[in-house]
Amino acid sequence: MSQVYEGTNKVLLAEFFPLSAIATTITGAKKLEVLSQNHGATLWVPEDLIHIKGAKNYTISLKYHIAQLWQTQRAFVFCLATGAVVRLIAPLLQHKSTDPAVVVVDETGSFVISLCSGHQGGGDQLAKLIALQLGATPVLTGASNGLGLPAVDMLGVPFGWRRGNGEWTGVSAAAARGEVVQVIQEVGSTLWQNHLPPGHSFEFGASVTPKAKIWITAKLPSTPALPEIYWHPRVLWVGIGCERGSSRHLIETAIGQVFREHQLAEDAIAGIATIDIKADEVGLVELCQERHWPLKTFAADVLRTVSVPNPSQVVEKEVGTPSVAEAAALCAADEVRLFVPKQIFRLQRELGAVTIAVAEAEKEYIGRTGKILLVGTGPGQLDQITPAAKTAISSAEVVIGYSLYIDLINSLLSPGQIVESLPITKERQRAQRAIELANWGLSVAVISSGDCGIYGMAGLVLEELQSIGWDGKTPSIQIFPGITALQAAASRVGTPLMHDFCAISLSDLLTPWEVIEKRLEAAAAADFITALYNPRSQSRTKQLIIAGDIFLKYRDPNTPVAVVRSAYRQDEEITLTTLEKLLDVTVDMLTTVLIGNSHTRTHANWMITPRGYLGFGS
Ligand code: SAH
């Protein structure tokens, strides 16, 4: 069965949508075209600019046009003088927590300025991603960028934490000045701490003299003496049992009262949990919609298995489980801890009654669907990575890969990104970890050298996903190709791959040797130019010898062979030799061997396979 479908190559800038790109000149429009063509942004140009593919025209003055769009857009990218942009948006700016991100690209496409809403609006991140696309320099002027610190008002964003009360400007300023900022983290993931720059001024223990504090807590603020901010990871599941017809107002008031009494922040609410027969309870459904809370429901059979402090026989008789609120809260929170035992709540002159219990989950609810970006980083050197792959790495909240490759792309990483490098043998663990984090809601880049789909991590991730019954959509997947070793190696010696070729990995760790041998025979017999990957390791030495012998059965001993080690890396070594002398050259796991076909020749240190323009076999 064949199926036509639209590829999903528009995930990279998705979080900035709706995104309007605005240019007033042809040069500017050409600069921003990539945003509309590759990423689906709306490109706006004045009416007199024709021939800009896919652009829309604005027909009123730019000032009014922007004003009309302002409320509906997450981000604006202008190719216009910064001064002009400042004048256009000045009357529209309200607050950094609500304004869209505003980014300005200069007409030469050399610089991408994050102008407004750099942190909370994501302007800095957007500027970085666009700069990578255009090969430009991002201009970020926020203080935390200079220090290499994650901005204090951004550090919980990947985990869906809510910003609570606090002196956000004061604490940001203290961090920017490099003053000691004490972090008191009571709940939520600590993964954000794993890629802080050396010498950062966050103190995680009891600090001697903090100048400011960051609370990461489910609790409400007390009266602070210092500048303090409150991040609220969404760890609290509110279990609710209610009489039929209890109003939204009643339920909301009950939650409010219970939270106030226990000094808990409503921003820390992950969602609501109840029994399945309440899935259509109007007040509950309305409240969840309004507050963007998920409503988790459980069957009575499940709830009755949970041990709770306050079971009730009356409830059991009615719905078949001795507890709804406590049991549902615990089920939703994976039974970690009941924070508030059940409390019954009524309002005078209102029908209905609500029972509320609160449980705390170990892991916060992120509230997003995650994605996995499978990225090929090319042979090694940074400029051999595609702009799209660089953008993918930069945009990801988590980067997972083999330590050597993480080191090679280190300069693309930013503070606040979670970086997990695992030893070379832990491929499956890497794939499973990526899936676990993406299923939780994070965007995860899994990097492989070369092309990720050629003896790389991409295949493994897809296989693992398939084995756990993935629906093909969630988490979403996007694959970023890279220059594979055979291309990199070929480019260093000439044009050996100009005719039909194949790749064979000599590693028999995952493939039986008989299969490899059969393929070597077939490739040699069919006169394919052949790239040998994983040709030899310290313990696997005989494979290359056998491969050489097989090819010698079918090809001239003088057939040109290129041995390319660490192409595009600092320790690159290139040797042009012949089939019969192949074993005289040092070959290891960082090497690719290219064996020419019967027409391949060398010319002054270059390896050339004729395509046939000058006559086949000439
Ligand atoms: N996904 C990678 C291949 C991984 S298998 C890619 O597409 O290139 C690992 C093998 O690739 C190594 O044993 C070696 O044969 C080859 N290889 C990877 N990087 C290389 C480089 N920079 N130079 C030469 N060979 C390389």
Side-chain angles (χ1 to χ4, degrees), residues 378-380 405 448-456 482-486 488-489 532-535 564-569 588-593:
Y405 304 142
S448 293
S449 77
D451 184 87
C452 56
I454 298 179
Y455 311 122
I483 297 174
T484 185
L486 67 81
L532 302 179
Y533 281 68
N534 302 301
V564 182
R565 183 177 185 277
S566 291
Y568 294 94
R569 295 187 194 153
D588 63 9
M589 278 301 276
L590 299 175
T591 309
T592 299
V593 175

PDB file of all heavy atoms in Angstrom, residues 378-380 405 448-456 482-486 488-489 532-535 564-569 588-593, ligand 1:
ATOM      1  N   GLY A 378      27.516  15.137  10.536  1.00  0.00           N
ATOM      2  CA  GLY A 378      28.600  15.143   9.561  1.00  0.00           C
ATOM      3  C   GLY A 378      29.864  14.521  10.121  1.00  0.00           C
ATOM      4  O   GLY A 378      29.882  14.016  11.237  1.00  0.00           O
ATOM      5  N   PRO A 379      30.938  14.591   9.338  1.00  0.00           N
ATOM      6  CA  PRO A 379      32.152  13.862   9.724  1.00  0.00           C
ATOM      7  C   PRO A 379      32.863  14.446  10.942  1.00  0.00           C
ATOM      8  O   PRO A 379      33.587  13.726  11.620  1.00  0.00           O
ATOM      9  CB  PRO A 379      33.028  13.972   8.483  1.00  0.00           C
ATOM     10  CG  PRO A 379      32.506  15.151   7.728  1.00  0.00           C
ATOM     11  CD  PRO A 379      31.049  15.210   8.012  1.00  0.00           C
ATOM     12  N   GLY A 380      32.696  15.720  11.222  1.00  0.00           N
ATOM     13  CA  GLY A 380      33.398  16.228  12.401  1.00  0.00           C
ATOM     14  C   GLY A 380      33.425  17.731  12.472  1.00  0.00           C
ATOM     15  O   GLY A 380      32.853  18.318  13.370  1.00  0.00           O
ATOM     16  N   TYR A 405      31.123  12.880  19.979  1.00  0.00           N
ATOM     17  CA  TYR A 405      30.382  13.731  19.054  1.00  0.00           C
ATOM     18  C   TYR A 405      29.817  14.957  19.761  1.00  0.00           C
ATOM     19  O   TYR A 405      29.708  16.024  19.172  1.00  0.00           O
ATOM     20  CB  TYR A 405      29.268  12.928  18.350  1.00  0.00           C
ATOM     21  CG  TYR A 405      29.797  11.710  17.642  1.00  0.00           C
ATOM     22  CD1 TYR A 405      29.099  10.520  17.624  1.00  0.00           C
ATOM     23  CD2 TYR A 405      31.031  11.759  17.007  1.00  0.00           C
ATOM     24  CE1 TYR A 405      29.601   9.399  16.983  1.00  0.00           C
ATOM     25  CE2 TYR A 405      31.547  10.645  16.374  1.00  0.00           C
ATOM     26  CZ  TYR A 405      30.837   9.465  16.363  1.00  0.00           C
ATOM     27  OH  TYR A 405      31.346   8.379  15.741  1.00  0.00           O
ATOM     28  N   SER A 448      24.149  11.783  15.891  1.00  0.00           N
ATOM     29  CA  SER A 448      25.041  10.742  15.390  1.00  0.00           C
ATOM     30  C   SER A 448      26.049  11.433  14.501  1.00  0.00           C
ATOM     31  O   SER A 448      25.711  12.414  13.841  1.00  0.00           O
ATOM     32  CB  SER A 448      24.310   9.782  14.456  1.00  0.00           C
ATOM     33  OG  SER A 448      23.364   9.030  15.106  1.00  0.00           O
ATOM     34  N   SER A 449      27.239  10.875  14.380  1.00  0.00           N
ATOM     35  CA  SER A 449      28.186  11.448  13.425  1.00  0.00           C
ATOM     36  C   SER A 449      27.722  11.068  12.024  1.00  0.00           C
ATOM     37  O   SER A 449      26.912  10.150  11.849  1.00  0.00           O
ATOM     38  CB  SER A 449      29.585  10.907  13.677  1.00  0.00           C
ATOM     39  OG  SER A 449      29.690   9.609  13.163  1.00  0.00           O
ATOM     40  N   GLY A 450      28.231  11.783  11.053  1.00  0.00           N
ATOM     41  CA  GLY A 450      27.884  11.471   9.671  1.00  0.00           C
ATOM     42  C   GLY A 450      26.399  11.653   9.445  1.00  0.00           C
ATOM     43  O   GLY A 450      25.801  12.649   9.857  1.00  0.00           O
ATOM     44  N   ASP A 451      25.794  10.679   8.823  1.00  0.00           N
ATOM     45  CA  ASP A 451      24.338  10.697   8.661  1.00  0.00           C
ATOM     46  C   ASP A 451      23.748   9.817   9.753  1.00  0.00           C
ATOM     47  O   ASP A 451      24.242   8.716  10.007  1.00  0.00           O
ATOM     48  CB  ASP A 451      23.951  10.154   7.287  1.00  0.00           C
ATOM     49  CG  ASP A 451      22.461  10.260   7.072  1.00  0.00           C
ATOM     50  OD1 ASP A 451      22.018  11.324   6.615  1.00  0.00           O
ATOM     51  OD2 ASP A 451      21.730   9.302   7.393  1.00  0.00           O
ATOM     52  N   CYS A 452      22.680  10.336  10.382  1.00  0.00           N
ATOM     53  CA  CYS A 452      22.147   9.590  11.533  1.00  0.00           C
ATOM     54  C   CYS A 452      21.398   8.336  11.098  1.00  0.00           C
ATOM     55  O   CYS A 452      21.169   7.429  11.891  1.00  0.00           O
ATOM     56  CB  CYS A 452      21.242  10.483  12.359  1.00  0.00           C
ATOM     57  SG  CYS A 452      19.919  11.197  11.397  1.00  0.00           S
ATOM     58  N   GLY A 453      21.036   8.264   9.820  1.00  0.00           N
ATOM     59  CA  GLY A 453      20.305   7.100   9.334  1.00  0.00           C
ATOM     60  C   GLY A 453      21.217   6.099   8.624  1.00  0.00           C
ATOM     61  O   GLY A 453      20.726   5.177   7.987  1.00  0.00           O
ATOM     62  N   ILE A 454      22.522   6.313   8.695  1.00  0.00           N
ATOM     63  CA  ILE A 454      23.466   5.357   8.087  1.00  0.00           C
ATOM     64  C   ILE A 454      24.335   4.815   9.210  1.00  0.00           C
ATOM     65  O   ILE A 454      25.187   5.535   9.742  1.00  0.00           O
ATOM     66  CB  ILE A 454      24.309   6.043   6.986  1.00  0.00           C
ATOM     67  CG1 ILE A 454      23.377   6.541   5.875  1.00  0.00           C
ATOM     68  CG2 ILE A 454      25.376   5.090   6.439  1.00  0.00           C
ATOM     69  CD1 ILE A 454      24.049   7.251   4.725  1.00  0.00           C
ATOM     70  N   TYR A 455      24.085   3.598   9.602  1.00  0.00           N
ATOM     71  CA  TYR A 455      24.727   2.996  10.789  1.00  0.00           C
ATOM     72  C   TYR A 455      24.694   3.985  11.965  1.00  0.00           C
ATOM     73  O   TYR A 455      25.667   4.089  12.715  1.00  0.00           O
ATOM     74  CB  TYR A 455      26.188   2.604  10.507  1.00  0.00           C
ATOM     75  CG  TYR A 455      26.409   1.813   9.245  1.00  0.00           C
ATOM     76  CD1 TYR A 455      27.268   2.292   8.252  1.00  0.00           C
ATOM     77  CD2 TYR A 455      25.789   0.589   9.045  1.00  0.00           C
ATOM     78  CE1 TYR A 455      27.486   1.568   7.087  1.00  0.00           C
ATOM     79  CE2 TYR A 455      26.006  -0.144   7.875  1.00  0.00           C
ATOM     80  CZ  TYR A 455      26.847   0.351   6.903  1.00  0.00           C
ATOM     81  OH  TYR A 455      27.063  -0.357   5.751  1.00  0.00           O
ATOM     82  N   GLY A 456      23.604   4.744  12.081  1.00  0.00           N
ATOM     83  CA  GLY A 456      23.542   5.784  13.117  1.00  0.00           C
ATOM     84  C   GLY A 456      22.398   5.528  14.090  1.00  0.00           C
ATOM     85  O   GLY A 456      21.753   4.477  14.069  1.00  0.00           O
ATOM     86  N   GLY A 482      22.959  14.119   7.403  1.00  0.00           N
ATOM     87  CA  GLY A 482      24.299  14.692   7.506  1.00  0.00           C
ATOM     88  C   GLY A 482      25.192  14.077   6.455  1.00  0.00           C
ATOM     89  O   GLY A 482      24.823  13.096   5.800  1.00  0.00           O
ATOM     90  N   ILE A 483      26.361  14.643   6.285  1.00  0.00           N
ATOM     91  CA  ILE A 483      27.315  14.093   5.319  1.00  0.00           C
ATOM     92  C   ILE A 483      27.889  12.809   5.909  1.00  0.00           C
ATOM     93  O   ILE A 483      28.503  12.830   6.973  1.00  0.00           O
ATOM     94  CB  ILE A 483      28.446  15.099   5.049  1.00  0.00           C
ATOM     95  CG1 ILE A 483      27.869  16.360   4.405  1.00  0.00           C
ATOM     96  CG2 ILE A 483      29.539  14.472   4.190  1.00  0.00           C
ATOM     97  CD1 ILE A 483      28.876  17.468   4.241  1.00  0.00           C
ATOM     98  N   THR A 484      27.646  11.710   5.230  1.00  0.00           N
ATOM     99  CA  THR A 484      28.105  10.438   5.771  1.00  0.00           C
ATOM    100  C   THR A 484      29.598  10.214   5.461  1.00  0.00           C
ATOM    101  O   THR A 484      30.170  10.881   4.583  1.00  0.00           O
ATOM    102  CB  THR A 484      27.247   9.282   5.218  1.00  0.00           C
ATOM    103  OG1 THR A 484      27.638   8.076   5.849  1.00  0.00           O
ATOM    104  CG2 THR A 484      27.414   9.127   3.717  1.00  0.00           C
ATOM    105  N   ALA A 485      30.208   9.282   6.193  1.00  0.00           N
ATOM    106  CA  ALA A 485      31.655   9.070   6.093  1.00  0.00           C
ATOM    107  C   ALA A 485      32.094   8.793   4.657  1.00  0.00           C
ATOM    108  O   ALA A 485      33.149   9.263   4.231  1.00  0.00           O
ATOM    109  CB  ALA A 485      32.065   7.918   7.007  1.00  0.00           C
ATOM    110  N   LEU A 486      31.289   8.054   3.896  1.00  0.00           N
ATOM    111  CA  LEU A 486      31.768   7.725   2.549  1.00  0.00           C
ATOM    112  C   LEU A 486      31.844   8.952   1.656  1.00  0.00           C
ATOM    113  O   LEU A 486      32.745   9.095   0.823  1.00  0.00           O
ATOM    114  CB  LEU A 486      30.950   6.584   1.915  1.00  0.00           C
ATOM    115  CG  LEU A 486      29.486   6.704   1.517  1.00  0.00           C
ATOM    116  CD1 LEU A 486      29.327   7.389   0.172  1.00  0.00           C
ATOM    117  CD2 LEU A 486      28.881   5.319   1.428  1.00  0.00           C
ATOM    118  N   ALA A 488      32.307  12.070   2.875  1.00  0.00           N
ATOM    119  CA  ALA A 488      33.400  12.878   3.424  1.00  0.00           C
ATOM    120  C   ALA A 488      34.734  12.318   2.937  1.00  0.00           C
ATOM    121  O   ALA A 488      35.597  13.055   2.438  1.00  0.00           O
ATOM    122  CB  ALA A 488      33.331  12.869   4.949  1.00  0.00           C
ATOM    123  N   ALA A 489      34.890  11.006   3.044  1.00  0.00           N
ATOM    124  CA  ALA A 489      36.151  10.377   2.649  1.00  0.00           C
ATOM    125  C   ALA A 489      36.395  10.600   1.155  1.00  0.00           C
ATOM    126  O   ALA A 489      37.488  10.984   0.733  1.00  0.00           O
ATOM    127  CB  ALA A 489      36.101   8.890   2.974  1.00  0.00           C
ATOM    128  N   LEU A 532      33.970   0.614   2.892  1.00  0.00           N
ATOM    129  CA  LEU A 532      33.938  -0.253   4.067  1.00  0.00           C
ATOM    130  C   LEU A 532      33.897   0.614   5.321  1.00  0.00           C
ATOM    131  O   LEU A 532      34.816   1.393   5.586  1.00  0.00           O
ATOM    132  CB  LEU A 532      35.174  -1.165   4.098  1.00  0.00           C
ATOM    133  CG  LEU A 532      35.371  -2.083   2.885  1.00  0.00           C
ATOM    134  CD1 LEU A 532      36.652  -2.903   3.032  1.00  0.00           C
ATOM    135  CD2 LEU A 532      34.165  -3.012   2.707  1.00  0.00           C
ATOM    136  N   TYR A 533      32.788   0.495   6.068  1.00  0.00           N
ATOM    137  CA  TYR A 533      32.654   1.182   7.355  1.00  0.00           C
ATOM    138  C   TYR A 533      33.108   0.208   8.440  1.00  0.00           C
ATOM    139  O   TYR A 533      33.119  -0.999   8.242  1.00  0.00           O
ATOM    140  CB  TYR A 533      31.192   1.548   7.621  1.00  0.00           C
ATOM    141  CG  TYR A 533      30.684   2.785   6.897  1.00  0.00           C
ATOM    142  CD1 TYR A 533      30.526   2.796   5.519  1.00  0.00           C
ATOM    143  CD2 TYR A 533      30.341   3.942   7.604  1.00  0.00           C
ATOM    144  CE1 TYR A 533      30.037   3.910   4.861  1.00  0.00           C
ATOM    145  CE2 TYR A 533      29.846   5.070   6.953  1.00  0.00           C
ATOM    146  CZ  TYR A 533      29.697   5.051   5.578  1.00  0.00           C
ATOM    147  OH  TYR A 533      29.218   6.158   4.932  1.00  0.00           O
ATOM    148  N   ASN A 534      33.427   0.727   9.588  1.00  0.00           N
ATOM    149  CA  ASN A 534      33.869  -0.087  10.734  1.00  0.00           C
ATOM    150  C   ASN A 534      34.864  -1.170  10.275  1.00  0.00           C
ATOM    151  O   ASN A 534      34.686  -2.352  10.570  1.00  0.00           O
ATOM    152  CB  ASN A 534      32.673  -0.785  11.398  1.00  0.00           C
ATOM    153  CG  ASN A 534      31.630   0.207  11.864  1.00  0.00           C
ATOM    154  OD1 ASN A 534      31.909   1.085  12.666  1.00  0.00           O
ATOM    155  ND2 ASN A 534      30.426   0.084  11.345  1.00  0.00           N
ATOM    156  N   PRO A 535      35.910  -0.768   9.568  1.00  0.00           N
ATOM    157  CA  PRO A 535      36.725  -1.797   8.911  1.00  0.00           C
ATOM    158  C   PRO A 535      37.523  -2.655   9.887  1.00  0.00           C
ATOM    159  O   PRO A 535      37.762  -3.821   9.615  1.00  0.00           O
ATOM    160  CB  PRO A 535      37.662  -0.985   8.010  1.00  0.00           C
ATOM    161  CG  PRO A 535      37.724   0.369   8.644  1.00  0.00           C
ATOM    162  CD  PRO A 535      36.393   0.594   9.274  1.00  0.00           C
ATOM    163  N   VAL A 564      40.829   6.568   4.442  1.00  0.00           N
ATOM    164  CA  VAL A 564      40.652   7.914   5.003  1.00  0.00           C
ATOM    165  C   VAL A 564      40.300   7.798   6.478  1.00  0.00           C
ATOM    166  O   VAL A 564      39.282   7.198   6.839  1.00  0.00           O
ATOM    167  CB  VAL A 564      39.552   8.694   4.250  1.00  0.00           C
ATOM    168  CG1 VAL A 564      39.416  10.099   4.814  1.00  0.00           C
ATOM    169  CG2 VAL A 564      39.858   8.740   2.765  1.00  0.00           C
ATOM    170  N   ARG A 565      41.162   8.343   7.293  1.00  0.00           N
ATOM    171  CA  ARG A 565      40.942   8.262   8.743  1.00  0.00           C
ATOM    172  C   ARG A 565      40.568   9.648   9.261  1.00  0.00           C
ATOM    173  O   ARG A 565      41.197  10.641   8.889  1.00  0.00           O
ATOM    174  CB  ARG A 565      42.231   7.782   9.410  1.00  0.00           C
ATOM    175  CG  ARG A 565      42.107   7.594  10.886  1.00  0.00           C
ATOM    176  CD  ARG A 565      43.393   7.044  11.492  1.00  0.00           C
ATOM    177  NE  ARG A 565      43.181   6.765  12.887  1.00  0.00           N
ATOM    178  CZ  ARG A 565      43.264   7.677  13.838  1.00  0.00           C
ATOM    179  NH1 ARG A 565      43.583   8.924  13.540  1.00  0.00           N
ATOM    180  NH2 ARG A 565      43.021   7.352  15.090  1.00  0.00           N
ATOM    181  N   SER A 566      39.545   9.715  10.093  1.00  0.00           N
ATOM    182  CA  SER A 566      39.124  10.968  10.727  1.00  0.00           C
ATOM    183  C   SER A 566      38.971  12.113   9.733  1.00  0.00           C
ATOM    184  O   SER A 566      39.500  13.201   9.944  1.00  0.00           O
ATOM    185  CB  SER A 566      40.110  11.384  11.816  1.00  0.00           C
ATOM    186  OG  SER A 566      40.036  10.497  12.889  1.00  0.00           O
ATOM    187  N   ALA A 567      38.247  11.858   8.662  1.00  0.00           N
ATOM    188  CA  ALA A 567      38.021  12.919   7.673  1.00  0.00           C
ATOM    189  C   ALA A 567      37.435  14.156   8.351  1.00  0.00           C
ATOM    190  O   ALA A 567      36.549  14.042   9.200  1.00  0.00           O
ATOM    191  CB  ALA A 567      37.060  12.410   6.599  1.00  0.00           C
ATOM    192  N   TYR A 568      37.923  15.309   7.988  1.00  0.00           N
ATOM    193  CA  TYR A 568      37.438  16.591   8.516  1.00  0.00           C
ATOM    194  C   TYR A 568      37.590  16.721  10.032  1.00  0.00           C
ATOM    195  O   TYR A 568      36.837  17.461  10.674  1.00  0.00           O
ATOM    196  CB  TYR A 568      35.981  16.852   8.106  1.00  0.00           C
ATOM    197  CG  TYR A 568      35.840  17.036   6.619  1.00  0.00           C
ATOM    198  CD1 TYR A 568      35.512  15.965   5.798  1.00  0.00           C
ATOM    199  CD2 TYR A 568      36.066  18.283   6.036  1.00  0.00           C
ATOM    200  CE1 TYR A 568      35.411  16.118   4.425  1.00  0.00           C
ATOM    201  CE2 TYR A 568      35.957  18.446   4.670  1.00  0.00           C
ATOM    202  CZ  TYR A 568      35.627  17.363   3.869  1.00  0.00           C
ATOM    203  OH  TYR A 568      35.522  17.527   2.512  1.00  0.00           O
ATOM    204  N   ARG A 569      38.505  15.957  10.589  1.00  0.00           N
ATOM    205  CA  ARG A 569      38.814  16.164  12.015  1.00  0.00           C
ATOM    206  C   ARG A 569      40.291  16.515  12.106  1.00  0.00           C
ATOM    207  O   ARG A 569      41.044  16.374  11.153  1.00  0.00           O
ATOM    208  CB  ARG A 569      38.532  14.896  12.825  1.00  0.00           C
ATOM    209  CG  ARG A 569      37.055  14.555  12.825  1.00  0.00           C
ATOM    210  CD  ARG A 569      36.732  13.413  13.748  1.00  0.00           C
ATOM    211  NE  ARG A 569      35.384  12.933  13.449  1.00  0.00           N
ATOM    212  CZ  ARG A 569      34.965  11.695  13.658  1.00  0.00           C
ATOM    213  NH1 ARG A 569      35.771  10.805  14.211  1.00  0.00           N
ATOM    214  NH2 ARG A 569      33.738  11.336  13.356  1.00  0.00           N
ATOM    215  N   ASP A 588      41.788   1.748  11.327  1.00  0.00           N
ATOM    216  CA  ASP A 588      41.145   1.513  12.623  1.00  0.00           C
ATOM    217  C   ASP A 588      39.668   1.895  12.544  1.00  0.00           C
ATOM    218  O   ASP A 588      39.133   2.084  11.449  1.00  0.00           O
ATOM    219  CB  ASP A 588      41.876   2.277  13.738  1.00  0.00           C
ATOM    220  CG  ASP A 588      41.814   3.784  13.513  1.00  0.00           C
ATOM    221  OD1 ASP A 588      41.066   4.221  12.609  1.00  0.00           O
ATOM    222  OD2 ASP A 588      42.489   4.522  14.246  1.00  0.00           O
ATOM    223  N   MET A 589      39.041   2.031  13.698  1.00  0.00           N
ATOM    224  CA  MET A 589      37.592   2.290  13.722  1.00  0.00           C
ATOM    225  C   MET A 589      37.223   3.706  13.290  1.00  0.00           C
ATOM    226  O   MET A 589      36.057   4.025  13.152  1.00  0.00           O
ATOM    227  CB  MET A 589      37.030   2.028  15.123  1.00  0.00           C
ATOM    228  CG  MET A 589      36.754   0.572  15.392  1.00  0.00           C
ATOM    229  SD  MET A 589      35.581  -0.113  14.212  1.00  0.00           S
ATOM    230  CE  MET A 589      34.049   0.366  14.980  1.00  0.00           C
ATOM    231  N   LEU A 590      38.239   4.566  13.137  1.00  0.00           N
ATOM    232  CA  LEU A 590      37.922   5.924  12.684  1.00  0.00           C
ATOM    233  C   LEU A 590      38.151   6.059  11.179  1.00  0.00           C
ATOM    234  O   LEU A 590      38.181   7.159  10.638  1.00  0.00           O
ATOM    235  CB  LEU A 590      38.789   6.938  13.435  1.00  0.00           C
ATOM    236  CG  LEU A 590      38.596   6.961  14.959  1.00  0.00           C
ATOM    237  CD1 LEU A 590      39.579   7.906  15.615  1.00  0.00           C
ATOM    238  CD2 LEU A 590      37.161   7.381  15.297  1.00  0.00           C
ATOM    239  N   THR A 591      38.320   4.909  10.528  1.00  0.00           N
ATOM    240  CA  THR A 591      38.716   4.921   9.123  1.00  0.00           C
ATOM    241  C   THR A 591      37.586   4.414   8.220  1.00  0.00           C
ATOM    242  O   THR A 591      36.846   3.508   8.585  1.00  0.00           O
ATOM    243  CB  THR A 591      39.922   3.963   8.927  1.00  0.00           C
ATOM    244  OG1 THR A 591      40.913   4.288   9.898  1.00  0.00           O
ATOM    245  CG2 THR A 591      40.500   4.067   7.542  1.00  0.00           C
ATOM    246  N   THR A 592      37.507   5.008   7.039  1.00  0.00           N
ATOM    247  CA  THR A 592      36.660   4.468   5.981  1.00  0.00           C
ATOM    248  C   THR A 592      37.563   4.061   4.820  1.00  0.00           C
ATOM    249  O   THR A 592      38.481   4.806   4.458  1.00  0.00           O
ATOM    250  CB  THR A 592      35.636   5.520   5.508  1.00  0.00           C
ATOM    251  OG1 THR A 592      34.812   5.852   6.618  1.00  0.00           O
ATOM    252  CG2 THR A 592      34.750   4.981   4.396  1.00  0.00           C
ATOM    253  N   VAL A 593      37.298   2.895   4.273  1.00  0.00           N
ATOM    254  CA  VAL A 593      38.098   2.391   3.154  1.00  0.00           C
ATOM    255  C   VAL A 593      37.227   2.442   1.905  1.00  0.00           C
ATOM    256  O   VAL A 593      36.100   1.935   1.913  1.00  0.00           O
ATOM    257  CB  VAL A 593      38.544   0.929   3.436  1.00  0.00           C
ATOM    258  CG1 VAL A 593      39.281   0.357   2.224  1.00  0.00           C
ATOM    259  CG2 VAL A 593      39.418   0.863   4.684  1.00  0.00           C
TER     260      VAL A 593
HETATM  261  N1  SAH B   1      26.658   7.448  10.902  1.00  0.00           N
HETATM  262  C1  SAH B   1      28.034   7.439  10.489  1.00  0.00           C
HETATM  263  C2  SAH B   1      28.647   6.049  10.477  1.00  0.00           C
HETATM  264  C3  SAH B   1      28.795   5.447  11.840  1.00  0.00           C
HETATM  265  S1  SAH B   1      29.591   3.880  11.775  1.00  0.00           S
HETATM  266  C4  SAH B   1      28.149   8.092   9.119  1.00  0.00           C
HETATM  267  O1  SAH B   1      27.136   8.244   8.421  1.00  0.00           O
HETATM  268  O2  SAH B   1      29.261   8.441   8.735  1.00  0.00           O
HETATM  269  C5  SAH B   1      31.202   4.357  12.257  1.00  0.00           C
HETATM  270  C6  SAH B   1      32.151   4.242  11.088  1.00  0.00           C
HETATM  271  O3  SAH B   1      31.992   5.341  10.215  1.00  0.00           O
HETATM  272  C7  SAH B   1      33.610   4.295  11.502  1.00  0.00           C
HETATM  273  O4  SAH B   1      34.089   3.031  11.918  1.00  0.00           O
HETATM  274  C8  SAH B   1      34.260   4.725  10.198  1.00  0.00           C
HETATM  275  O5  SAH B   1      34.346   3.634   9.323  1.00  0.00           O
HETATM  276  C9  SAH B   1      33.233   5.680   9.634  1.00  0.00           C
HETATM  277  N2  SAH B   1      33.530   7.101   9.963  1.00  0.00           N
HETATM  278  C10 SAH B   1      32.783   7.905  10.733  1.00  0.00           C
HETATM  279  N3  SAH B   1      33.320   9.149  10.775  1.00  0.00           N
HETATM  280  C11 SAH B   1      34.406   9.119   9.995  1.00  0.00           C
HETATM  281  C12 SAH B   1      35.385  10.095   9.640  1.00  0.00           C
HETATM  282  N4  SAH B   1      35.310  11.352  10.097  1.00  0.00           N
HETATM  283  N5  SAH B   1      36.367   9.716   8.812  1.00  0.00           N
HETATM  284  C13 SAH B   1      36.443   8.461   8.331  1.00  0.00           C
HETATM  285  N6  SAH B   1      35.550   7.505   8.638  1.00  0.00           N
HETATM  286  C14 SAH B   1      34.549   7.816   9.467  1.00  0.00           C
END
